[in-house]
Amino acid sequence: SQALQICNEKSYALTLFILLKQEFQDVNLMSQSEWINKCDEVIIQVMKFKPPLHREFDIFPIWFLVLDIISDNRWHFDIKNKNLDQFYQQLQVYAAKATSLLDIFTTRSRQLVELKEPPPRLQLAARAMMLIIQRILSSKSSNNNNN
């Protein structure tokens, strides 16, 4: 939607968070395939968001939307999702565990800011997210094996 695009362009994190959260208002009425498609859309929007320089913490609540998705009972361990894989790879870049040609930060004045590595708080948050994702998927895997 145009509102999501504007939020990404202007780095309006809170508005983006609220819009994406509203996408899941009627999740109980969705079929499994509709729900998976909606999850894909949300993960893509989360990946598109680039926090403004010196406000990288704006991205943290948006990342929690992905945790909500994979924590949901409808997300099965056996779901191979390329968008979740790409999100995890993006977290690796933020965590300074991988390099990418993607520019992590841009200023709003069209000037590119090149950072050798993301700020420490962003690295720490990305590493924590990676750990939480691994734990959630591991827990679902062990629950799947027990059934």
Side-chain angles (χ1 to χ4, degrees):
S1 93
Q2 187 177 4
L4 294 174
Q5 183 179 352
I6 291 170
C7 288
N8 277 317
E9 289 172 2
K10 305 269 186 195
S11 295
Y12 294 154
L14 184 57
T15 306
L16 179 65
F17 176 82
I18 291 169
L19 290 172
L20 293 176
K21 200 71 168 155
Q22 285 178 341
E23 295 279 324
F24 280 101
Q25 242 174 355
D26 298 324
V27 296
N28 294 331
L29 304 175
M30 293 180 192
S31 69
Q32 177 73 12
S33 63
E34 289 174 322
W35 183 82
I36 290 291
N37 290 337
K38 185 61 68 180
C39 292
D40 278 342
E41 291 173 25
V42 169
I43 292 171
I44 289 168
Q45 289 301 320
V46 169
M47 286 189 300
K48 285 182 182 178
F49 184 79
K50 302 294 182 248
L53 190 61
H54 305 300
R55 291 196 51 89
E56 65 277 349
F57 52 83
D58 283 353
I59 202 167
F60 302 161
I62 297 169
W63 283 351
F64 280 94
L65 293 172
V66 177
L67 292 181
D68 285 346
I69 289 169
I70 64 172
S71 295
D72 193 289
N73 289 334
R74 286 173 283 189
W75 187 277
H76 299 289
F77 177 76
D78 57 345
I79 294 176
K80 185 66 177 158
N81 186 289
K82 71 177 173 101
N83 291 323
L84 181 61
D85 290 343
Q86 289 174 349
F87 175 70
Y88 195 84
Q89 290 170 359
Q90 187 180 53
L91 285 175
Q92 289 177 323
V93 172
Y94 281 121
K97 291 186 173 276
T99 56
S100 172
L101 297 177
L102 296 174
D103 296 307
I104 294 177
F105 298 103
T106 60
T107 62
R108 297 298 159 222
S109 62
R110 296 185 200 164
Q111 177 186 4
L112 221 47
V113 176
E114 293 187 22
L115 297 173
K116 298 286 185 219
E117 54 182 43
R121 62 182 167 202
L122 186 58
Q123 289 182 36
L124 182 61
R127 289 175 184 177
M129 284 292 294
M130 291 166 56
L131 180 64
I132 294 168
I133 289 171
Q134 289 171 356
R135 287 193 177 179
I136 291 170
L137 295 179
S138 175
S139 172
K140 287 185 177 250
S141 172
S142 64
N143 288 343
N144 193 31
N145 291 338
N146 291 338
N147 292 336

